[in-house]
Amino acid sequence: MDKTHRLLDLKYWRQVCKLSSSSKSSRSNLNHKNPKSDQKNEQTGQNFFSYLFLSIPVTTFGLGVWQIKRRNEKINLIKSLEERMNIDPVNLPIKIQDLETFIKENEYRPFRVKGHFLNSKEALLTTRFDVTLENKLPGGYLITPFVLSEDKNMIILINRGFIPYTDFSESVRSKFRINDQVELAGFLRSDEPKCRLSHLNKPPNEWHIRNIRELSEELGTEPIFLDQVRPFGLPSEPIPTQTQVDLKNDHLNYIFTWFGLSLTSLLIWLKIFSKILP
């Protein structure tokens, strides 16, 4: 009988030991992470940041291609405007329904007008330099209202050309004045773009920016501005032909910038995420 009890006790403790060992094994599995799972998670994170970083060279490369397109468009626009300046002048329409659209569609086109100057309402647009390089001194443009002979009520603005600062005084400027009726051709212009370094206009005597609306309101004219094309052949007169196609074209700088960033970021990506480079 005692022997039977001892056998039962021995089986009981063996079973307890098995259960205890199984429990420890389970706790050990819970406390230790699976190395393969850790490696997989780490690889997923690396792939995510790899693709995220790769978007930088791809995006900047696309911006570089876009700037090439924009540069070609700007070059073609400048070329078309320069060609427009070489066409024969036509008479300026007297009645213009939509002046803003008319100027936008015809800027740099030469128009022919006939009439006389209102010399008493001259204005100087300063500080300027002679784009023809005939005169090296700084100076300004002589802006004079012009009454059209076809319609005495229509007065426009004429940029007669460059005069040096030594001719700014009223007494000296009087030698440039024309009192007779004349016919001239001029390039149609729009407002001058402002920049941070530009001085502001201070009517009625200080003009620095070609703000046509502001000039026309002060001088009592229509907001139409022509750059005189040719001189009249007088002994003393401003230097005309001060018109240049002044569209900004910085796209080449942007092209180098974006492609440079694309190449640099691609090399960094290869260094960090690829086995191509050591």
Side-chain angles (χ1 to χ4, degrees):
M1 188 71 176
D2 291 337
K3 187 177 181 179
T4 302
H5 283 296
R6 283 197 298 270
L7 289 173
L8 289 174
D9 289 341
L10 183 60
K11 289 181 180 180
Y12 170 77
W13 287 111
R14 283 179 179 176
Q15 189 69 27
V16 169
C17 288
K18 286 182 179 181
L19 289 174
S20 177
S21 177
S22 176
S23 177
K24 288 180 180 180
S25 177
S26 297
R27 285 197 298 269
S28 178
N29 290 336
L30 289 174
N31 291 333
H32 293 284
K33 295 180 179 178
N34 190 343
K36 292 184 178 180
S37 177
D38 289 346
Q39 187 177 4
K40 184 177 180 181
N41 292 336
E42 184 178 353
Q43 186 65 36
T44 301
Q46 288 180 351
N47 289 340
F48 172 76
F49 285 110
S50 173
Y51 289 124
L52 183 64
F53 195 92
L54 186 61
S55 66
I56 297 175
V58 172
T59 302
T60 50
F61 182 84
L63 289 171
V65 173
W66 177 66
Q67 285 297 329
I68 291 176
K69 181 181 177 182
R70 293 284 294 119
R71 181 174 181 269
N72 291 335
E73 290 174 352
K74 186 64 69 67
I75 290 173
N76 291 333
L77 176 59
I78 292 173
K79 184 179 178 180
S80 67
L81 293 177
E82 289 175 343
E83 290 175 350
R84 183 184 293 178
M85 293 174 66
N86 294 321
I87 65 176
D88 294 331
V90 297
N91 291 330
L92 181 71
I94 299 298
K95 294 181 180 180
I96 302 172
Q97 300 295 331
D98 188 347
L99 184 58
E100 185 176 347
T101 301
F102 176 79
I103 293 174
K104 185 177 180 181
E105 294 177 350
N106 293 280
E107 186 174 13
Y108 295 104
R109 181 172 183 172
F111 286 93
R112 184 170 50 246
V113 291
K114 188 176 182 180
H116 66 274
F117 291 106
L118 291 179
N119 297 305
S120 60
K121 291 187 175 183
E122 291 175 341
L124 282 170
L125 194 61
T126 61
T127 299
R128 305 290 164 145
F129 292 89
D130 179 16
V131 300
T132 68
L133 301 180
E134 289 184 31
N135 194 306
K136 301 297 193 299
L137 295 174
Y141 295 156
L142 185 61
I143 314 300
T144 310
F146 189 83
V147 183
L148 300 185
S149 58
E150 294 183 50
D151 185 352
K152 304 294 184 182
N153 295 319
M154 187 168 180
I155 307 173
I156 64 174
L157 295 166
I158 301 292
N159 173 16
R160 294 192 57 195
F162 174 86
I163 62 173
Y165 74 92
T166 52
D167 294 341
F168 277 4
S169 66
E170 185 79 17
S171 58
V172 177
R173 283 209 320 264
S174 61
K175 66 182 179 181
F176 302 135
R177 290 173 179 171
I178 301 174
N179 297 315
D180 299 330
Q181 181 171 276
V182 294
E183 184 174 336
L184 63 90
F187 297 116
L188 184 66
R189 302 306 307 275
S190 63
D191 286 341
E192 188 175 19
K194 296 179 182 179
C195 67
R196 293 181 180 179
L197 300 178
S198 299
H199 295 289
L200 296 177
N201 292 333
K202 297 179 181 179
N205 299 319
E206 232 180 282
W207 301 95
H208 304 287
I209 304 171
R210 190 179 63 243
N211 186 319
I212 299 174
R213 182 72 61 179
E214 199 172 26
L215 274 164
S216 64
E217 289 177 356
E218 183 64 33
L219 301 179
T221 72
E222 297 294 327
I224 299 175
F225 191 103
L226 298 182
D227 281 344
Q228 185 176 324
V229 177
R230 296 182 182 87
F232 293 113
L234 303 175
S236 297
E237 61 179 315
I239 303 172
T241 321
Q242 299 295 321
T243 308
Q244 289 181 317
V245 178
D246 52 3
L247 296 181
K248 198 172 183 179
N249 188 5
D250 290 336
H251 296 290
L252 188 60
N253 293 333
Y254 297 141
I255 290 171
F256 284 120
T257 299
W258 290 125
F259 281 140
L261 287 173
S262 179
L263 178 60
T264 302
S265 56
L266 178 61
L267 292 175
I268 294 173
W269 181 85
L270 291 173
K271 185 72 175 178
I272 296 175
F273 298 103
S274 176
K275 302 300 183 182
I276 296 177
L277 295 179

